[in-house]
């Protein structure tokens, strides 16, 4: 029986018994989902990679210390560790604010040498912010596919594998998500025009 056919739980037990390859299989199996969930919270590739690595360092320490007791719930457990490390990171940031701007600070913005007017930038940012808020109103399966595809850059094949559905189901959920977002954006514009 190859590693691919083993459950997460079987791989965890193999790793605890000293089989390093079992952990590699677990990382390979879940890395895109774990990384994407961290990236969506921090919105910075390098920071997400750091926290992803820290997450697995913590996973390894916990497993080696024999403190793992999440029978059958490996992925949710790792996602929770990643989420907690993100929260820790933001707490530290508040105590030690950084001088540099992490969201792509551009000297040309300060000098006023750019193609887009300030008004266009504000409209684009507002639309982006509105869209992010509206995504939260989508049914969870649609939201999950949309986030994995657009923010996680995953293929529909990867999304289908991660969510244990067919590619057609993943594509269908994406189509519904986009249609629902269009409807919500149109309704929001109608409400704004009416007010």
């Amino acid at each position: 029986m190859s590693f691919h056919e083993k459950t997460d739980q079987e791989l965890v037990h193999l790793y605890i018994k000293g089989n390093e390859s079992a952990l590699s299989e677990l990382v390979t199996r879940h890395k895109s989902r774990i990384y994407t969930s961290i990236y969506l919270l921090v919105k910075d590739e390098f920071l997400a990679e750091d926290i992803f690595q820290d997450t697995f360092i913590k996973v390894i320490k916990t497993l080696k210390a024999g403190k793992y007791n999440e029978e059958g719930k490996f992925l949710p457990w790792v996602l929770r560790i990643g989420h907690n490390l993100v929260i820790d990171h933001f707490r530290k940031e508040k105590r030690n604010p950084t001088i540099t701007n992490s969201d792509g600070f551009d000297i040309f913005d300060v000098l006023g040498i750019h193609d887009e007017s300030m008004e266009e930038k504000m409209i684009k940012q507002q639309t982006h912010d509105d869209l992010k808020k509206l995504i939260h109103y989508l049914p969870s399966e649609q939201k999950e596919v949309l986030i994995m595809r657009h923010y996680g850059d995953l293929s529909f094949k990867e999304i289908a594998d991660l969510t244990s559905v067919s590619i057609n189901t993943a594509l269908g959920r994406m189509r519904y998500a986009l249609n629902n977002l269009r409807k919500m954006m149109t309704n929001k514009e109608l409400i704004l025009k009416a007010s």
Side-chain angles (χ1 to χ4, degrees):
M1 189 183 203
S2 76
F3 280 153
H4 298 303
E5 295 160 11
K6 295 198 178 296
T7 65
D8 288 355
Q9 205 50 44
E10 289 170 324
L11 290 168
V12 166
H13 288 300
L14 283 171
Y15 177 70
I16 291 169
K17 287 178 187 162
N19 188 328
E20 297 292 324
S21 304
L23 184 72
S24 298
E25 173 62 28
L26 283 166
V27 173
T28 305
R29 189 178 284 183
H30 298 301
K31 70 179 172 200
S32 54
R33 196 166 194 177
I34 296 162
Y35 174 82
T36 301
S37 73
I38 293 168
Y39 177 77
L40 287 171
L41 296 168
V42 299
K43 295 172 183 67
D44 177 299
E45 281 177 54
F46 300 110
L47 179 57
E49 282 170 26
D50 284 350
I51 293 175
F52 176 81
Q53 286 174 359
D54 291 347
T55 300
F56 270 94
I57 289 168
K58 198 159 188 176
V59 165
I60 290 165
K61 282 182 181 167
T62 307
L63 293 176
K64 293 223 180 217
K67 292 180 183 165
Y68 176 76
N69 56 4
E70 302 282 329
E71 290 294 315
K73 296 189 175 88
F74 179 77
L75 181 61
W77 174 66
V78 178
L79 289 170
R80 199 163 56 246
I81 290 172
H83 190 258
N84 289 340
L85 288 172
V86 168
I87 292 167
D88 292 348
H89 165 77
F90 284 123
R91 279 195 192 123
K92 276 187 214 140
E93 281 292 297
K94 271 192 176 150
R95 283 200 299 272
N96 314 315
T98 51
I99 311 302
T100 56
N101 188 343
S102 63
D103 55 302
F105 175 77
D106 187 354
I107 191 69
F108 293 111
D109 289 344
V110 178
L111 299 174
I113 306 168
H114 46 69
D115 299 328
E116 277 183 304
S117 72
M118 202 58 197
E119 188 180 0
E120 286 169 328
K121 273 196 173 167
M122 284 170 68
I123 291 168
K124 192 189 265 183
Q125 187 59 49
Q126 184 61 50
T127 305
H128 192 72
D129 293 346
D130 288 348
L131 195 57
K132 272 189 184 165
K133 285 179 193 149
L134 292 176
I135 287 170
H136 291 290
Y137 292 109
L138 290 172
S140 58
E141 311 87 53
Q142 294 174 23
K143 186 184 347 180
E144 186 176 40
V145 171
L146 185 93
I147 287 171
M148 286 181 175
R149 181 79 185 116
H150 282 290
Y151 296 101
D153 267 344
L154 300 182
S155 70
F156 282 107
K157 165 97 177 77
E158 290 170 312
I159 293 168
D161 291 346
L162 283 170
T163 55
S164 305
V165 297
S166 71
I167 291 180
N168 283 341
T169 301
L171 286 164
R173 287 176 179 175
M174 185 65 171
R175 196 169 50 249
Y176 285 123
L178 294 173
N179 285 340
N180 283 335
L181 282 174
R182 268 189 216 104
K183 282 181 200 159
M184 287 190 272
M185 287 297 265
T186 306
N187 289 343
K188 189 174 187 306
E189 283 170 27
L190 292 172
I191 290 164
L192 287 173
K193 282 177 186 161
S195 60

